[in-house]
């Protein structure tokens, strides 16, 4: 794989489902469409693939007790994850030249490093991994708030040779300060730990575009220092205003910034590209029209 070859990723799932009229509410979030309107999930995957995304991500992000409840997770979590994998796989196969990323979410709540329970990772992640495994081309642990969680997830993955990507969410601090994860851990320490663990890509997502460029520069320098220039870098920001430290992602439909239309977002993506990113897409509030702009201008 040429690390300089740009891959355009897809955009956010939840808001696009809501925009298309799928049932959408808390606490189920994007999982509700899997239960009640799976065809709409397929439509969103198709829209991103048609917009030029080279990677589409399974709609398995909300398939955790935090969103669907412990009882439903135990009874239906694995079946729903298999459905999420199947829907993405079918669209990728129809489109050709599109890969499927198996989304492994924060198991205890987005942005909530304080809720992490190491002793429960296997219990919650194993059904998701088992269900997604037949359908995905790569694994994506996304919106990780702390270093420990993706390392624990990696230990549970099958020895299938599929790439393992990890995407961290950052504190929405003012640009110029040292970039940190939502846990307060330094990006430099996170990249060092993940590079040592043998990940194939490190990305930053579900945070403001303003904080990502600095994190990419830190990550690039750390990887150079460790001789791991084979590790790809990437980014997919959200379109939210700055989130307070006590925020919980997906706690409700946050307002969307008015200054992140497709061409505005493209401007940030070009800066990330300049900072070494070769995997670029969008998170919450970034839709197919943004991905189309990325695909048409960056590739």
């Amino acid at each position: 794989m040429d690390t300089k070859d740009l891959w355009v990723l897809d955009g956010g799932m939840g808001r696009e489902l809501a925009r298309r009229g799928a049932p959408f509410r808390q606490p189920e979030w994007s999982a509700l469409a899997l239960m009640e309107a799976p065809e709409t999930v397929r439509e969103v995957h198709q829209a991103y693939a048609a917009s030029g995304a080279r990677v589409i991500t399974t709609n398995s992000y909300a398939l955790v007790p935090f969103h669907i409840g412990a009882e439903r997770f135990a009874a239906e979590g694995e079946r729903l994850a298999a459905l999420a994998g199947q829907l993405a796989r079918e669209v990728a196969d129809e489109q050709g030249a599109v890969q499927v990323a198996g989304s492994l979410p924060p198991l205890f709540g987005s942005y909530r490093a304080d809720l992490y329970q190491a002793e429960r990772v296997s219990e919650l992640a194993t059904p998701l991994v088992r269900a997604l495994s037949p359908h995905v081309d790569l694994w994506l642990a996304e919106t990780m708030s702390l270093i420990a969680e993706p390392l624990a997830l990696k230990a549970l993955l099958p020895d299938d040779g599929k790439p393992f990507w990890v995407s961290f969410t950052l504190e929405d601090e003012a640009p110029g300060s040292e970039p940190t994860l939502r846990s307060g851990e330094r990006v430099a320490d996170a990249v060092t730990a993940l590079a040592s663990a043998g990940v194939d890509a490190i990305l930053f997502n579900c945070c403001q575009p303003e904080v990502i460029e600095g994190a990419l520069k830190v990550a690039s320098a750390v990887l150079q220092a460790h001789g791991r220039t084979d590790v790809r870098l990437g980014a997919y920001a959200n379109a939210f205003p700055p989130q307070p430290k006590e925020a919980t992602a997906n706690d409700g439909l946050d307002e969307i910034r008015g200054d992140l239309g497709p061409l505005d977002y493209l401007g940030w993506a070009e800066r990330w590209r300049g900072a070494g990113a070769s995997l670029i897409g969008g998170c919450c509030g970034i839709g197919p029209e943004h991905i189309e702009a990325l695909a048409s201008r960056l590739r």
Side-chain angles (χ1 to χ4, degrees), residues 114-162:
D114 58 310
L115 298 182
Y116 178 68
Q117 302 173 54
E119 70 279 4
R120 296 193 65 207
V121 170
S122 179
E123 167 200 346
L124 301 185
T126 298
L128 300 180
V129 170
R130 190 162 53 222
L132 292 170
S133 186
H135 308 291
V136 306
D137 299 298
L138 62 98
W139 297 101
L140 172 61
E142 56 179 341
T143 323
M144 297 285 109
S145 291
L146 73 166
I147 297 170
E149 189 163 13
L151 294 177
L153 290 170
K154 187 177 188 298
L156 298 173
L157 294 178
D159 186 16
D160 55 13
K162 295 175 182 177

Side-chain angles (χ1 to χ4, degrees), residues 9-10 55-58 60-61 100-106 132 136-144 150 153 157 163-168 201-205 236 279:
L9 314 181
D10 60 5
V55 179
I56 56 176
T57 306
T58 61
S60 46
Y61 187 87
V100 174
S103 173
L104 299 175
L132 292 170
V136 306
D137 299 298
L138 62 98
W139 297 101
L140 172 61
E142 56 179 341
T143 323
M144 297 285 109
L153 290 170
L157 294 178
F164 181 49
W165 297 1
V166 173
S167 192
F168 289 108
I202 297 171
L203 305 90
F204 302 101
N205 81 295
Y236 52 116
L279 306 166

Side-chain angles (χ1 to χ4, degrees), residues 22-36:
F24 190 80
R25 62 172 184 264
Q26 282 291 62
E28 295 94 340
W29 203 251
S30 56
L32 192 60
L34 274 179
M35 304 170 192
E36 299 181 9

Side-chain angles (χ1 to χ4, degrees), residues 11-12 16 19-20 44 47-48 51-52 286-293:
E16 195 59 25
R19 192 166 80 165
R20 291 167 184 266
V44 174
Y48 282 124
S51 296
I286 303 300
E289 63 279 6
H290 295 80
I291 301 308
E292 185 175 12

Side-chain angles (χ1 to χ4, degrees), residues 44-246:
V44 174
H45 286 318
Q46 288 171 330
Y48 282 124
S51 296
R54 186 168 174 177
V55 179
I56 56 176
T57 306
T58 61
N59 184 30
S60 46
Y61 187 87
L63 295 179
V64 290
F66 184 88
H67 283 292
I68 65 174
E71 188 174 325
R72 178 174 268 170
F73 178 81
E76 298 184 64
E78 189 164 345
R79 178 187 67 80
L80 290 169
L83 176 59
Q86 177 186 337
L87 291 168
R89 180 78 265 155
E90 289 172 355
V91 171
D93 289 346
E94 289 165 7
Q95 297 286 333
V98 173
Q99 296 205 31
V100 174
S103 173
L104 299 175
L107 300 171
F108 307 98
S110 304
Y111 297 5
R112 296 300 303 272
D114 58 310
L115 298 182
Y116 178 68
Q117 302 173 54
E119 70 279 4
R120 296 193 65 207
V121 170
S122 179
E123 167 200 346
L124 301 185
T126 298
L128 300 180
V129 170
R130 190 162 53 222
L132 292 170
S133 186
H135 308 291
V136 306
D137 299 298
L138 62 98
W139 297 101
L140 172 61
E142 56 179 341
T143 323
M144 297 285 109
S145 291
L146 73 166
I147 297 170
E149 189 163 13
L151 294 177
L153 290 170
K154 187 177 188 298
L156 298 173
L157 294 178
D159 186 16
D160 55 13
K162 295 175 182 177
F164 181 49
W165 297 1
V166 173
S167 192
F168 289 108
T169 179
L170 305 168
E171 286 283 8
D172 286 323
E173 302 290 354
S177 58
E178 181 177 18
T180 61
L181 312 188
R182 305 249 181 208
S183 62
E185 295 166 303
R186 298 166 64 239
V187 164
D189 295 333
V191 174
T192 296
L194 271 292
S196 299
V199 303
D200 299 279
I202 297 171
L203 305 90
F204 302 101
N205 81 295
C206 210
C207 47
Q208 288 210 298
E210 287 87 345
V211 300
I212 288 178
E213 184 179 9
L216 287 169
K217 289 179 178 178
V218 168
S220 181
V222 171
L223 292 174
Q224 289 276 356
H226 285 80
R228 288 300 313 276
T229 54
D230 57 312
V231 177
R232 301 186 73 166
L233 292 174
Y236 52 116
N238 63 32
F240 298 158
Q243 298 296 293
K245 286 183 180 295
E246 67 275 11

